[in-house]
Amino acid sequence: MDTSIFRGETIAEVVRAGLVESVHSGHLVELDAHGQIVKSLGSIHAPIYPRSSVKALQASAMVRAGLKLKPEQLAVVCASHSGSEEHFKVVLSILADHGLAESALRNAVDTPLGEPERRAWGDKPKTQLAQNCSGKHSGMLATCVVNGWDTNSYTDPEHPLQKLIVEEFEVLAREKVQYLTADGCGAPLFALSLSGLAQAIHTITVSADPVYQEVVNACRANPLMIAGEGRLTTRLMEAVPGLFMKEGAEGVEVLSMPDGRTLVIKCADGSWRPMGPIITATFERWGVEAPDENVYIYGGGKVVGQVVAK
């Protein structure tokens, strides 16, 4: 397989004492408030797996299909949660409100995603509730109940819910989805181009469609539900008014401001290290006040360099 296109361009450099020690390559697209591309690196029209960065798009399809949830419940449907007791409580409340038990979940089993939560979990067995996508799966199940659809096969790509999700993706991204597979949690996963993903995030941010506004506002109002204590997504959404943000596995990050400015990143090696520096540099150009998320390089306990966004 030729991976030369996928490797993309340098999106960040690791600089130690003025010398570039390492580089992070990948793909990046930035849209202005009108949805026009103002910056791009790499192959932004090549397909990628967006992983969990598209959970708000999946949730939009659920709400359009009749799912009615409280804001914190809708936020956890959009989440890759850390696995705190509060996360579990909200996920279980979605199931209980729709007459479902925890045993109805069909996602993969795991321990909590958050480091403190995983330590607190100890050596207890992996469960579906603890897996970071259990909120999304509870929303999928609840949507099935609302519509009278089968709850045992909701992860099948031919299930009515999954077909509606594909339709939502294609309307928002303005392109056809590609490469059907399964995500880590077991739900169907489709590939989109980075430019298509950026267009989708821009649209759910600025659209007057009440479905998109309900989903995005639920996320904005509940940043702790979207990720968890101490994580980049939660830190920045708590600090920057109106910010929508969502990470996906293998180095995918999406964010948008209320006016529609949008940034989407895919790190080619799946690394998270360049995300904070790239976002910090973008916010500085946008004039957005935000915490310093730069990554500094140390030597002998002193700062001797940093990760520099391109």
Side-chain angles (χ1 to χ4, degrees):
M1 179 183 294
D2 180 9
T3 61
S4 59
I5 292 177
F6 182 74
R7 285 195 291 269
E9 297 179 47
T10 298
I11 58 175
E13 296 177 336
V14 182
V15 180
R16 181 184 294 271
L19 177 67
V20 176
E21 185 174 29
S22 303
V23 298
H24 289 286
S25 65
H27 314 274
L28 176 152
V29 61
E30 178 187 330
L31 306 183
D32 65 16
H34 304 290
Q36 300 300 307
I37 296 174
V38 294
K39 181 178 180 180
S40 68
L41 295 170
S43 302
I44 66 169
H45 300 300
I48 67 160
Y49 287 125
R51 305 297 296 270
S52 289
S53 72
V54 294
K55 283 180 176 174
L57 312 189
Q58 293 168 309
S60 293
M62 299 179 215
V63 173
R64 198 174 302 284
L67 181 63
K68 299 184 186 304
L69 297 176
K70 298 172 184 176
E72 66 175 2
Q73 293 175 321
L74 186 52
V76 86
V77 171
C78 300
S80 298
H81 64 70
S82 289
S84 69
E85 288 301 321
E86 187 61 25
H87 288 128
F88 297 157
K89 176 182 175 182
V90 177
V91 172
L92 291 172
S93 74
I94 296 172
L95 296 172
D97 287 351
H98 293 84
L100 296 161
E102 182 180 339
S103 58
L105 291 167
R106 295 289 180 267
N107 56 305
V109 298
D110 205 350
T111 56
L113 178 63
E115 292 183 11
E117 291 83 1
R118 190 182 303 115
R119 288 196 297 270
W121 188 262
D123 58 0
K124 291 187 290 185
K126 298 177 180 180
T127 70
Q128 288 160 317
L129 180 63
Q131 200 266 340
N132 72 87
C133 297
S134 61
K136 177 181 73 177
H137 283 257
S138 68
M140 288 180 172
L141 280 163
T143 306
C144 291
V145 170
V146 168
N147 288 277
W149 294 331
D150 181 60
T151 56
N152 291 315
S153 61
Y154 73 90
T155 61
D156 188 322
E158 295 302 313
H159 191 281
L161 172 62
Q162 301 304 334
K163 289 185 175 182
L164 288 179
I165 288 173
V166 169
E167 290 177 14
E168 199 76 42
F169 278 21
E170 293 182 339
V171 167
L172 285 165
R174 302 178 187 175
E175 65 183 38
K176 293 291 185 181
V177 300
Q178 306 176 60
Y179 298 100
L180 167 65
T181 185
D183 208 338
C185 65
L189 175 66
F190 306 93
L192 293 170
S193 71
L194 211 70
S195 58
L197 178 56
Q199 183 61 56
I201 299 302
H202 172 81
T203 299
I204 66 170
T205 301
V206 301
S207 174
D209 187 322
V211 169
Y212 300 141
Q213 288 306 301
E214 181 180 353
V215 171
V216 172
N217 286 333
C219 296
R220 290 171 176 155
N222 295 277
L224 201 61
M225 281 291 112
I226 294 298
E229 194 71 46
R231 287 171 56 192
L232 179 66
T233 297
T234 294
R235 290 199 306 269
L236 287 175
M237 288 183 68
E238 287 178 335
V240 179
L243 175 66
F244 170 76
M245 185 171 170
K246 186 68 187 73
E247 76 285 349
E250 294 300 322
V252 181
E253 193 79 62
V254 305
L255 64 85
S256 62
M257 294 296 294
D259 64 3
R261 286 175 292 178
T262 299
L263 178 69
V264 176
I265 308 162
K266 164 62 181 175
C267 195
D269 66 356
S271 173
W272 293 106
R273 182 166 64 170
M275 296 303 181
I278 292 172
I279 293 169
T280 294
T282 302
F283 281 161
E284 288 175 354
R285 285 190 290 102
W286 287 354
V288 174
E289 291 188 13
D292 180 1
E293 295 291 348
N294 279 307
V295 174
Y296 295 97
I297 307 302
Y298 291 86
K302 298 179 180 179
V303 173
V304 296
Q306 66 183 87
V307 178
V308 179
K310 296 297 287 181

